[in-house]
Amino acid sequence: MFKYLILVLALNGAALPAQAEEPQEIGTLTRLEEKLRQHPEITAYASRVEASGSYAKGEMGLPDPMLFIEQEDYRFRSDMGRGGGDKMIGFRQEIPRYSLREARADRLRVESHKNRLLQDYAFAAMKAKMIASFANLQKVKELRAIALEQEKLLKTQRQSLKGSVAANRAGLSTVPMTDAEIQEIDIMLSELEEERHGIEAMLINMLGEAPDVTLPPVEIAAWNRDPAKTYPVIIAASDIDMAKKDVDIREAEYGPNFEIRASGGRMNDGADGGSIMLGLSIPLWASENQKPKLQGAKASLSAAEFDRDAVKRQIIEKLDHLKAQIDTSVRKIELFEKKESLLKAAANAASREYEAGKADFAMILKTRREAFSVRAQAATERAKHTALVADFNRYIIGESQ
């Protein structure tokens, strides 16, 4: 009768899945994503976007003019001077050609666009990290609940074994072996607590808090193996655009720059006068100056195109592998759930056989413990699946915005 009471207590505590506590909703994912955008890593890119845009505007302006005062005395050339000379005041303005200024501004506009893409990509990566953290936090909670249930079952087994040892139906070594397994559960609980602290520290780093959030199902993004729809490739394409602008700059350097100089004042003979000068530069040394720079810019453009092609191959390889991992993870979760169902059915059958005197009580406990192990594997795999999907989605443009 005592053993039957122990069995009822064990089954009541172990047959049903662990009841997870309802988390207190501190905020929605939308609110947390807005907090994520305030992370220094993300806001730094926003500042770079602003900086590049401001530099682009500045490139269209002219350099500051130079004001000058000029005194010319011709007495060293003639003894007929009357002690005076030309006294002039004027200004000098350099005018870099418009095509060159526009090319430099365009290059900075492309750089600003690239920085915005880098900002979006950094946010997508951090969002994936946040989702994985929430999934792992949920895993830790599930594993802790499973470990506590398993510990309860082991203590029930220990109590039963003591009775069996007293009745000479079990060896003395079975009790300390069960105690060792209970200690293993305590070690697991300590490791789970350590993992929880690490996850919460990561969330505090990203969000300033470690909220208790229930994740909605994370769906994998649609992708037709078009690498142009991914952040790494589109960022590499912006490098090509920047390299093209560098070529435009070098080509524009072949043209002339202009200069205006105007002055006015009193001449040596006492009359008022003035002068104006319009100058332009001549690319006389282009073969030693502009031409090598243009050749270098074209070589850099070619390198950027090859880099983009390499990134295309890498991203297809990466996403194909992630997709295979996700599909395998889905299959494993289904198999774990099916195995758990079979173990529960076996435990129920063993319980009926035990009540009929046809099975040993240890068999029931063993089956229940195996079911706990499968539940733990399923919880771990679910967290892995969520993290894989989040990692996949972060590469796809628009999925994490």
Side-chain angles (χ1 to χ4, degrees):
M1 181 66 182
F2 176 69
K3 287 177 62 177
Y4 181 72
L5 178 60
I6 292 177
L7 171 64
V8 172
L9 292 173
L11 296 182
N12 285 341
L16 297 177
Q19 298 296 317
E21 297 181 1
E22 286 293 327
Q24 181 182 1
E25 290 294 342
I26 301 177
T28 63
L29 281 176
T30 301
R31 180 183 70 84
L32 295 176
E33 287 177 14
E34 289 303 314
K35 293 193 71 173
L36 203 61
R37 292 186 185 278
Q38 305 307 314
H39 192 277
E41 182 179 339
I42 307 302
T43 54
Y45 280 111
S47 296
R48 293 187 185 101
V49 171
E50 181 181 357
S52 299
S54 297
Y55 287 146
K57 293 179 181 178
E59 285 293 339
M60 295 305 298
L62 297 176
D64 292 336
M66 179 178 290
L67 183 67
F68 65 87
I69 299 175
E70 183 179 11
Q71 170 73 51
E72 293 185 357
D73 196 332
Y74 301 102
R75 286 180 297 174
F76 70 95
R77 294 188 298 177
S78 172
D79 58 0
M80 297 176 62
R82 291 175 293 181
D86 297 343
K87 298 179 177 64
M88 311 292 288
I89 184 169
F91 75 95
R92 175 174 170 264
Q93 175 68 63
E94 293 182 3
I95 306 176
R97 54 193 167 283
Y98 180 83
S99 60
L100 178 59
R101 288 181 284 143
E102 181 66 21
R104 288 173 174 168
D106 283 346
R107 203 270 187 195
L108 287 166
R109 293 186 191 104
V110 174
E111 182 178 332
S112 180
H113 176 66
K114 178 186 176 181
N115 284 329
R116 188 171 297 281
L117 288 171
L118 289 171
Q119 179 186 6
D120 293 341
Y121 188 33
F123 173 76
M126 193 167 288
K127 180 181 175 182
K129 188 176 178 181
M130 179 186 72
I131 290 173
S133 297
F134 285 139
N136 286 325
L137 200 58
Q138 182 62 34
K139 176 201 70 175
V140 168
K141 292 178 182 178
E142 291 182 38
L143 292 180
R144 185 176 186 280
I146 292 169
L148 290 173
E149 288 184 71
Q150 192 167 1
E151 185 178 47
K152 182 179 179 181
L153 186 61
L154 286 169
K155 288 179 178 179
T156 301
Q157 175 178 319
R158 182 177 183 276
Q159 189 67 22
S160 174
L161 287 171
K162 282 185 175 181
S164 297
V165 169
N168 291 322
R169 291 194 299 271
L172 288 172
S173 63
T174 56
V175 175
M177 286 297 296
T178 302
D179 289 339
E181 291 187 39
I182 293 173
Q183 293 300 312
E184 186 67 27
I185 295 295
D186 291 338
I187 292 172
M188 182 189 302
L189 289 170
S190 297
E191 291 175 345
L192 289 172
E193 184 67 11
E194 179 183 351
E195 185 176 355
R196 181 184 67 82
H197 278 296
I199 296 170
E200 289 181 348
M202 187 180 301
L203 287 170
I204 291 172
N205 177 15
M206 291 188 288
L207 302 169
E209 59 178 304
D212 196 352
V213 174
T214 300
L215 278 177
V218 181
E219 302 294 335
I220 187 170
W223 187 57
N224 60 358
R225 300 187 82 247
D226 181 5
K229 300 296 180 64
T230 63
Y231 280 113
V233 173
I234 200 69
I235 290 171
S238 68
D239 286 335
I240 294 177
D241 292 338
M242 290 173 61
K244 287 180 179 178
K245 297 303 177 183
D246 286 334
V247 172
D248 292 342
I249 291 172
R250 298 310 178 185
E251 289 179 341
E253 287 178 345
Y254 275 89
N257 289 316
F258 300 93
E259 178 181 333
I260 296 177
R261 176 174 176 175
S263 61
R266 185 170 296 276
M267 308 303 289
N268 185 38
D269 58 2
D272 294 333
S275 67
I276 185 169
M277 179 193 74
L278 176 62
L280 60 87
S281 63
I282 302 173
L284 189 60
W285 318 120
S287 59
E288 291 81 17
N289 190 340
Q290 289 97 327
K291 187 176 180 180
K293 293 177 181 177
L294 178 59
Q295 291 173 339
K298 289 181 177 179
S300 295
L301 173 58
S302 179
E305 291 171 342
F306 285 125
D307 287 341
R308 189 268 317 273
D309 293 341
V311 171
K312 281 184 177 181
R313 298 186 184 190
Q314 292 166 4
I315 200 65
I316 290 175
E317 176 189 356
K318 177 68 175 179
L319 292 183
D320 281 349
H321 181 57
L322 279 173
K323 183 63 168 58
Q325 287 181 291
I326 291 168
D327 292 341
T328 301
S329 182
V330 170
R331 179 61 177 156
K332 288 173 69 176
I333 291 171
E334 292 173 352
L335 292 173
F336 283 137
E337 291 174 350
K338 183 177 181 180
K339 184 177 180 180
E340 182 183 359
S341 176
L342 292 172
L343 286 170
K344 286 182 179 179
N348 291 334
S351 298
R352 291 191 296 270
E353 291 174 356
Y354 174 78
E355 292 172 5
K358 298 180 180 180
D360 184 45
F361 181 57
M363 183 62 186
I364 304 173
L365 297 175
K366 179 177 182 296
T367 308
R368 294 297 179 191
R369 286 163 59 190
E370 290 180 356
F372 283 142
S373 176
V374 173
R375 280 175 54 197
Q377 289 176 300
T380 301
E381 194 62 39
R382 281 192 293 269
K384 177 183 175 182
H385 175 265
T386 298
L388 286 171
V389 172
D391 190 28
F392 183 95
N393 290 350
R394 76 184 179 95
Y395 291 100
I396 311 300
I397 293 177
E399 281 300 314
S400 298
Q401 301 308 304

